[in-house]
Amino acid sequence: MDLRYETQPGSVKVRAAHEADLDAVLGIRNHAIEHGTALWTDTPQSREEGAAWLAAHLGRGSAYVADSEGDVVGFGVYGPWKDYSGFRHTVENSVYVAEGNHGRGIGSALLGTLVASAEAAGLHVMIAGIEAGNAASIRLHERHGFTHAGTVREVGTKFGRWLDLTLMRRQLS
């Protein structure tokens, strides 16, 4: 299935990701790992790990990037929420915007594309697992029709503190 979604918030175009986007996507992911609490790991991804991760999403057609004049300034993916077959119609999304590019509508354009792509693929529910203190991400998901499904206290740790996980869900059409 070759899904192509192209949206343009201002000078940014959302398009299907390609293998050639690996270094830019990996740079954004590793910055989030090193400086934030959106990804709950302390270890940056190697190029090989990042290539395998991206290849899985490319194979599903579930990876998109935000391109601003040839530069990747954000990415979004969705993938299986759980590996058991009973969850095969439920996916989890991830949206990341490169440092210095927030507030331009990039995250919203990416999330909108992910939702449209998942709906076109016949999926049933999209989940977002968000660090509970990330009010901007929670608001972004609310604007796209996600509702609060619960918060699980102190299930992760990073930078020497316990983190709470807010789960949000959106029914797909």
Side-chain angles (χ1 to χ4, degrees), residues 96-161:
Y96 294 90
V97 175
E99 191 64 28
N101 287 279
H102 296 92
R104 296 175 56 195
I106 295 168
S108 185
L110 285 163
L111 184 54
T113 299
L114 294 178
V115 168
S117 175
E119 287 179 332
L123 296 166
H124 187 64
V125 171
M126 184 174 278
I127 301 288
I130 304 168
E131 193 275 316
N134 190 341
S137 184
I138 290 170
R139 281 192 311 271
L140 169 66
H141 283 80
E142 287 172 342
R143 285 193 307 269
H144 283 269
F146 286 75
T147 58
H148 187 266
T151 298
V152 188
R153 304 282 177 214
E154 297 185 0
V155 293
T157 185
K158 193 165 181 185
F159 304 131
R161 63 187 176 98

Side-chain angles (χ1 to χ4, degrees), residues 2 6 14 20 44-45 92 95 100-101 118 123 131 142 158 164:
D2 185 27
E6 295 187 1
V14 174
Q45 265 191 328
E92 182 174 12
V95 174
N101 287 279
L123 296 166
E131 193 275 316
E142 287 172 342
K158 193 165 181 185
D164 300 340

Side-chain angles (χ1 to χ4, degrees), residues 26-41:
L26 189 58
I28 295 168
R29 277 181 63 86
N30 282 338
H31 185 272
I33 289 169
E34 294 168 358
H35 301 284
T37 56
L39 285 163
W40 294 5
T41 181

